[in-house]
Amino acid sequence: MMASDEATRSIEHDSLKYHLLGPSLTKAGQDAVDQTKVSEIIYNASKGSKFFNNEEAKDKNLTEKISKVLAKRRQLEQLDLTSDLRRADDYIAELELGRDLSQVIVHLDCDAFYAAVEELDRPELKDVPMAVGKGVLTTCNYHARKFGCRSGMAGFVAMKLCPQLICVPMNFAKYAAKAEEVREVLTQYDPGFESASCDEAYLNLTEFCNEHHMTPEDAVSQMRADVYAKAKITVSAGIAANAKLAKICSNKNKPNGQFLLASDRQTIMEFMRDLPTRKVNGIGRVFERELDAIGVKTCGDIYAHRAYLAKLFGQKAFQFLMQCYLGLGRTVIKRAEDYERKSVGTETTFKELQSPDALREKLRHIAEELEGDLKRTEYKGRTLCIKIKLHTYEVHTRQSTPPFAVHKADDLYKYSLPMLEKLMKEIPNMKLRLMGLRVTHIISTKKPGIDFFGRVKTSSSTATKAPTLKNEETWETWPEEEFEEAARQERNDEMNELEKLSQEYQGQHDSATKSDAEDQRPAVAEEHWQCPICTVAQPPNDATFNAHIDFCLSKQTIKEAVRSTEPPMMEKQQPGSASKSIANRGKRGRPKNETLPLDQQAREKRRAFFSLGNGSA
DNA sequence: GCGGATCAC
DNA sequence: TATGGTGATCCGC
């Protein structure tokens, strides 16, 4: 009995220790590291902390979840799975029909980007273990990686692994400038390239190779040399038939290397057959463990389990895994700013707080932060979400829908406070280490350039359309006149037209919350009239109403058609939307920076940086 | 639609 | 001495 308990605990701690190695375990530079020793050090450095206890609890939950999965599989195996098997095979056949091997897709990844930039300024750091970021490492150089240091690791843990580690603070402006240098080179090769993040990009080099009569390998070699010549930083690249494969390949010969995966089915299938599941973007520590539990260690292993994967993990996961097995991925590379943003939020960690007054004050502060973000990104949101993390690292979220789209700190606070109060009741003596606010179902507040009927609006015609409304210039400040034309050109995005429109009417209303609240009766009903289909609000007028419904229905159809062609699951996170606003900012110029407190300025810079896309070239 | 959870960077 | 922030997606209910 004792021995069995011991064994169980030991196994559980094995999985916990593996988990504690962190999310970036499979990154380059760790191959030669003794992970057992590293995990032992991390484990001992963390043991007993609240963080550790929470990780331990999560690990236990996962262990339970996995045993349920295994039980369910045993149950399924008793049943007749032939129809599921046929469904899976049909899906594979369907996917195979759509396989596109005609494109040359490249994933480009800067090597230890922040660290590399710092080393340019301080060459003496090149030869010693060095990391960027305090508290939590954002990245570290390859010397540090030899000790087991990784991005995302707590600073004090990294110091245990490597006491001589030098940590330098982040300097966002520097990285942003360097990233821009890289992007300037990439534009020469594919003007439609996609910034996946500040140090990663996808390119479609099919056209470039054809026009210049170059092999993909030569083109990428040259591109990497160009990047180095221009920016003095090394990049690694993967070349393959689609984005998923290219991403995996860019890690093969890191740092400062490239890898080409030949675009024929046989080669791809063999490549996937031996590829550990964790190497695929979208399979993290948890899913890796779940797959491992059913005997799937590599993408090739997936096939044998195809009959019950959908029932065990869901339809989306099934489709995703089938694409992993086949080595399929998207072949369409979109500019980052063509992705539509879905939410805007902010959150912050702080020294534990408990008193209701302090928590309310924190919420108020976060509301003001979010107001600033919403102003910059030019959005407001119909749904408001509050997030809290207890001192135990347990996370909770609550959301509500205010009577109108919110963007002002007063409103953000007003409508999130009840959620916080409710949480304080639900969780007695609530002690927090983090609080955050986010708006979803967002609506653009960009100045509309197109009116409801699709006509281009001129400033003089504004009055004829909505005579009762205030002068537009008074309800929100707009960028300088010289940027207006550029801004107008960006507004040709079809899917956004409705949302642009909504702001014309709604914008005026929600900025007058006080009078709305006083004028109780139909104010909310009329002033905040909402289209049953989309997010548009408009005045109660039959003609415009009918026109709108027609318009809206046609858009809805298009939207669904588009959605159904989208690749399933986490083929790609969509960072691009974040860059939309910054792309605009690049063109329009940054709003004048009023004097902010120093930490605020740092915040601003950080946000500006993380939002950089490929539009600012 | 809501809340929890996972994932990427 | 003390383990991040932003955004997206999926699942079960």
Side-chain angles (χ1 to χ4, degrees):
Chain A
M1 229 22 180
M2 274 312 257
S4 163
D5 284 354
E6 280 295 323
T8 305
R9 189 144 53 87
S10 165
I11 287 166
E12 281 179 12
H13 277 215
D14 281 351
S15 66
L16 177 57
K17 282 176 185 175
Y18 179 73
H19 190 87
L20 287 170
L21 284 171
S24 61
L25 177 63
T26 60
K27 295 275 181 187
Q30 296 289 333
D31 296 349
V33 182
D34 180 356
Q35 295 299 343
T36 312
K37 214 169 140 190
V38 169
S39 85
E40 209 61 36
I41 294 172
I42 298 176
Y43 182 89
N44 287 322
S46 304
K47 198 159 54 180
S49 69
K50 290 173 182 169
F51 174 82
F52 177 93
N53 292 338
N54 184 249
E55 292 297 308
E56 195 175 32
K58 285 199 300 191
D59 187 75
K60 207 177 152 199
N61 282 341
L62 180 56
T63 304
E64 278 172 27
K65 186 179 165 196
I66 284 174
S67 65
K68 280 183 191 155
V69 166
L70 290 175
K72 185 158 184 183
R73 183 172 69 158
R74 278 195 298 276
Q75 182 197 329
L76 286 172
E77 278 168 341
Q78 310 287 19
L79 304 173
D80 177 23
L81 287 171
T82 51
S83 72
D84 300 85
L85 194 62
R86 192 173 60 245
R87 231 188 333 266
D89 287 334
D90 287 349
Y91 185 62
I92 288 174
E94 183 190 325
L95 287 176
E96 197 63 73
L97 276 177
R99 190 191 284 270
D100 180 1
L101 298 174
S102 67
Q103 301 300 300
V104 178
I105 306 298
V106 175
H107 180 252
L108 209 71
D109 201 328
C110 300
D111 304 321
F113 184 54
Y114 298 178
V117 176
E118 294 298 339
E119 286 171 2
L120 282 179
D121 282 357
R122 296 170 60 185
E124 74 276 11
L125 294 176
K126 269 186 167 173
D127 306 313
V128 296
M130 182 265 286
V132 179
K134 312 240 174 199
V136 171
L137 311 187
T138 58
T139 192
C140 54
N141 68 9
Y142 280 76
H143 294 294
R145 293 185 193 193
K146 282 187 289 196
F147 292 87
C149 300
R150 281 184 304 274
S151 62
M153 183 176 275
F156 75 94
V157 173
M159 294 302 286
K160 281 236 155 76
L161 287 166
C162 176
Q164 69 271 40
L165 182 71
I166 294 176
C167 293
V168 304
M170 303 254 265
N171 187 338
F172 305 107
K174 262 197 316 198
Y175 314 144
K178 188 57 72 179
E180 181 54 31
E181 290 178 34
V182 176
R183 283 195 294 266
E184 276 170 33
V185 176
L186 303 195
T187 309
Q188 314 292 315
Y189 289 82
D190 177 11
F193 78 93
E194 176 173 325
S195 286
S197 69
C198 51
D199 70 336
E200 271 180 56
Y202 290 95
L203 300 90
N204 187 333
L205 290 192
T206 317
E207 215 178 297
F208 182 90
C209 291
N210 283 337
E211 281 180 6
H212 295 77
H213 303 99
M214 285 176 85
T215 66
E217 278 182 300
D218 289 344
V220 170
S221 282
Q222 185 188 305
M223 178 166 66
R224 290 177 43 238
D226 284 358
V227 168
Y228 188 78
K230 166 107 185 173
K232 291 284 173 290
I233 65 154
T234 66
V235 297
S236 298
I239 311 160
N242 61 57
K244 183 185 282 158
L245 294 172
K247 167 89 182 161
I248 295 161
C249 290
S250 69
N251 258 311
K252 275 273 178 204
N253 284 325
K254 208 166 216 319
N256 196 16
Q258 62 187 63
F259 181 88
L260 173 135
L261 181 68
S263 290
D264 68 272
R265 186 179 175 279
Q266 171 97 13
T267 307
I268 293 169
M269 293 297 288
E270 282 170 15
F271 181 78
M272 297 311 289
R273 191 187 60 209
D274 302 321
L275 187 77
T277 56
R278 183 67 184 283
K279 299 283 185 187
V280 180
N281 223 350
I283 300 181
R285 287 175 291 181
V286 171
F287 202 15
E288 178 192 35
R289 230 190 105 189
E290 291 177 335
L291 289 170
D292 183 87
I294 63 164
V296 174
K297 295 192 191 305
T298 72
C299 293
D301 295 337
I302 292 167
Y303 183 76
H305 304 265
R306 65 195 183 287
Y308 45 76
L309 286 175
K311 287 202 166 72
L312 288 188
F313 301 119
Q315 186 64 18
K316 292 283 182 186
F318 163 74
Q319 294 180 347
F320 176 73
L321 289 171
M322 286 302 110
Q323 299 194 35
C324 291
Y325 162 69
L326 293 168
L328 294 172
R330 70 195 170 95
T331 57
V332 175
I333 303 303
K334 280 209 293 184
R335 308 188 88 225
E337 61 265 46
D338 291 340
Y339 286 101
E340 199 180 349
R341 178 193 271 272
K342 303 223 168 63
S343 71
V344 180
T346 183
E347 64 186 62
T348 176
T349 296
F350 41 78
K351 207 163 86 76
E352 289 176 12
L353 284 183
Q354 185 163 23
S355 95
D357 278 346
L359 292 175
R360 280 189 280 263
E361 192 185 328
K362 190 61 78 177
L363 182 62
R364 174 76 214 181
H365 182 256
I366 291 167
E368 273 157 24
E369 286 290 330
L370 185 52
E371 179 188 66
D373 292 346
L374 289 169
K375 203 167 281 176
R376 278 189 296 278
T377 54
E378 299 182 284
Y379 281 103
K380 54 188 175 180
R382 301 199 52 75
T383 305
L384 189 54
C385 317
I386 187 173
K387 170 178 172 180
I388 59 168
K389 194 188 280 178
L390 308 184
H391 67 116
T392 56
Y393 288 84
E394 195 179 306
V395 174
H396 295 280
T397 61
R398 292 291 182 271
Q399 59 178 327
S400 64
T401 307
F404 52 90
V406 286
H407 71 288
K408 294 167 66 141
D410 283 347
D411 291 330
L412 294 168
Y413 179 69
K414 180 167 132 193
Y415 290 105
S416 58
L417 184 57
M419 293 190 279
L420 179 65
E421 301 283 3
K422 191 149 174 274
L423 281 163
M424 289 194 291
K425 279 195 172 177
E426 288 170 18
I427 308 168
N429 301 323
M430 189 172 83
K431 238 191 284 186
L432 298 192
R433 76 183 327 273
L434 172 145
M435 198 185 287
L437 277 182
R438 173 168 300 274
V439 292
T440 62
H441 300 117
I442 55 176
I443 299 168
S444 172
T445 55
K446 284 195 181 71
K447 194 176 183 179
I450 297 169
D451 75 7
F452 183 72
F453 300 102
R455 291 181 301 234
V456 175
K457 193 183 72 183
T458 64
S459 49
S460 60
S461 72
T462 325
T464 67
K465 215 156 54 69
T468 61
L469 302 178
K470 289 187 292 184
N471 179 352
E472 289 200 40
E473 307 307 317
T474 63
W475 73 274
E476 194 141 346
T477 57
W478 298 106
E480 295 83 347
E481 207 49 44
E482 65 207 87
F483 297 110
E484 283 301 326
E485 186 49 36
R488 192 163 292 120
Q489 285 178 0
E490 289 174 30
R491 286 194 284 268
N492 53 9
D493 182 352
E494 273 237 326
M495 301 310 284
N496 270 338
E497 276 182 28
L498 295 170
E499 283 131 12
K500 309 273 163 49
L501 171 72
S502 86
Q503 153 262 1
E504 287 207 60
Y505 297 106
Q506 205 173 359
Q508 280 81 2
H509 298 304
D510 68 87
S511 54
T513 51
K514 189 149 189 209
S515 54
D516 286 352
E518 284 162 3
D519 183 9
Q520 281 250 337
R521 36 143 195 108
V524 170
E526 282 185 16
E527 304 253 315
H528 299 120
W529 183 92
Q530 189 70 41
C531 167
I533 300 165
C534 71
T535 54
V536 166
Q538 65 171 74
N541 169 313
D542 281 354
T544 53
F545 174 83
N546 289 330
H548 168 74
I549 294 295
D550 286 347
F551 187 49
C552 195
L553 281 173
S554 71
K555 290 295 171 202
Q556 201 68 10
T557 318
I558 293 168
K559 214 166 190 167
E560 260 153 37
V562 169
R563 200 188 310 283
S564 69
T565 66
E566 279 171 6
M569 211 169 162
M570 331 105 165
E571 160 60 28
K572 178 176 182 323
Q573 297 282 320
Q574 318 238 324
S577 40
S579 43
K580 194 186 287 181
S581 63
I582 304 301
N584 293 343
R585 178 185 311 173
K587 284 171 195 147
R588 295 179 190 177
R590 195 183 164 77
K592 325 260 166 311
N593 215 352
E594 290 142 49
T595 45
L596 293 165
L598 276 177
D599 62 329
Q600 289 262 342
Q601 285 187 23
R603 257 179 99 84
E604 295 272 312
K605 282 182 192 166
R606 181 169 55 74
R607 291 184 180 183
F609 174 66
F610 282 119
S611 305
L612 277 174
N614 49 353
S616 47

